[in-house]
Amino acid sequence: MHIRDNVFIVSGGASGLGAAAVRMLVEEGGRVIVADLQQEAAQALIEDCGPAARYVPCDVTSELDAHAVAQAAQEDGPLRGLVNCAGVLAAERIVGRDHPHLLETFERVIRVNLIGTFNMTRVCAQAMAHGAPADDGERGVIVNTASIAAFEGQIGQAAYAASKGGVVAMTLPIARDLARHAIRCVTIAPGSFETPMLSNLKSESQQALAMQVPFPARLGRPSEFAQMVRSIVQNVMLNGTTIRLDGALRLQPK
Ligand SMILES: NC(=O)c1ccc[n+]([C@@H]2O[C@H](COP(=O)([O-])OP(=O)(O)OC[C@H]3O[C@@H](n4cnc5c(N)ncnc54)[C@H](O)[C@@H]3O)[C@@H](O)[C@H]2O)c1
């Protein structure tokens, strides 16, 4: 799929990996809807990006918001891509000091990371399916963001790993389902990346994570995530799979 003159939605686009994807898509000549809860961060980003990017407030768990974002995108031209980056992290042990793992935490993480990804996917795929195909016959591409925690969840990550495992598991059925509409679906499973999500961890934990990466022995850069998004969008043979982007990191139990 060409990026130039096509319209893309980036959920969670106000920060971190999503913001890097927004910048890349704008640099490549695309038009981008930043769909996020964080208005201030999104406004700052779109001011930086210029008129090719605009902000539409969105909670990815809301059906109404998903429809509003898809509609806004279609006003700008044919919707050709969705990059699902919205996500939340949670760390909680199953057996706590005073109480078991809160069900509420588990439900919140599944709701945003898994159900939110599916909600945006279903609504945007419907919009893409109704568009005319591009020159190469392709109608659209969906890029999801899982995590290597889908494969090696750490202690305290039962909810997060389950949510990302769900994203990995639904990638192939979504790709198979949408193949008849010429829409692809590919998931990226990042290792540890330098974003506001990780900066909430203690600096020792961040350093420990960076040291565990075999090569390069550092945290990933959001621009490297965006580079992978660009490859997926542009390479029509990438479909129905999950790509690890982790410098060979295999997460340890803690
Ligand atoms: N940073 C990492 O090391 C890392 C590793 C693996 C996977 N990931 C995944 O990458 C994605 C992006 O993470 P990040 O590191 O850029 O984090 P981030 O916190 O910088 O960005 C996440 C964005 O998602 C938005 N968001 C959260 N809940 C939302 C909702 N309900 N509706 C709309 N927007 C919502 C936030 O406002 C924020 O702008 C997440 O799905 C995360 O799980 C990150």
Side-chain angles (χ1 to χ4, degrees):
M1 177 65 68
H2 295 297
I3 296 175
R4 184 159 296 281
D5 296 331
N6 279 326
V7 181
F8 295 82
I9 292 169
V10 181
S11 85
S15 172
L17 303 183
V22 170
R23 288 181 192 280
M24 178 281 292
L25 290 164
V26 168
E27 273 166 28
E28 295 287 327
R31 273 161 290 159
V32 186
I33 302 283
V34 178
D36 201 297
L37 287 172
Q38 292 196 67
Q39 180 166 353
E40 250 177 62
Q43 293 292 0
L45 175 68
I46 60 168
E47 270 168 37
D48 236 32
C49 287
R54 67 184 176 112
Y55 172 58
V56 178
C58 171
D59 177 345
V60 294
T61 69
S62 153
E63 296 196 39
L64 277 179
D65 286 4
H67 282 288
V69 168
Q71 195 170 338
Q74 286 172 289
E75 287 160 13
D76 291 352
L79 175 62
R80 296 296 190 196
L82 165 67
V83 184
N84 279 307
C85 281
V88 290
L89 189 62
E92 195 170 326
R93 290 196 181 231
I94 313 282
V95 177
R97 212 168 287 152
D98 308 317
H99 54 74
H101 191 303
L102 294 176
L103 203 49
E104 189 196 333
T105 312
F106 194 88
E107 282 174 351
R108 180 175 58 86
V109 173
I110 296 288
R111 184 136 196 96
V112 176
N113 295 358
L114 179 56
I115 298 178
T117 298
F118 184 72
N119 184 37
M120 295 301 290
T121 294
R122 72 188 181 96
V123 172
C124 293
Q126 182 82 21
M128 289 177 203
H130 285 142
D135 292 347
D136 51 4
E138 191 180 11
R139 282 202 174 80
V141 54
I142 294 161
V143 182
N144 295 327
T145 310
S147 161
I148 59 170
F151 310 107
E152 303 112 36
Q154 296 187 292
I155 289 169
Q157 286 191 331
Y160 186 71
S163 70
K164 297 302 189 177
V167 172
V168 169
M170 70 182 176
T171 302
L172 180 60
I174 289 172
R176 287 174 162 166
D177 187 327
L178 296 179
R180 63 190 303 200
H181 303 289
I183 299 169
R184 293 181 289 127
C185 179
V186 176
T187 293
I188 303 172
S192 300
F193 277 68
E194 237 172 83
T195 70
M197 185 178 270
L198 274 206
S199 61
N200 291 334
L201 299 178
K202 290 185 212 137
S203 77
E204 308 93 79
S205 313
Q206 287 185 44
Q207 273 178 359
L209 276 173
M211 303 257 295
Q212 285 174 28
V213 185
F215 184 82
R218 61 165 172 79
L219 298 178
R221 298 179 183 131
S223 60
E224 292 161 340
F225 172 85
Q227 196 181 340
M228 177 57 78
V229 173
R230 182 174 56 217
S231 298
I232 292 169
V233 170
Q234 292 177 337
N235 192 331
V236 73
M237 279 307 286
L238 282 171
N239 195 11
T241 195
T242 295
I243 301 168
R244 293 183 70 122
L245 189 66
D246 63 6
L249 172 63
R250 299 295 178 270
L251 292 171
Q252 297 306 303
K254 58 180 179 181

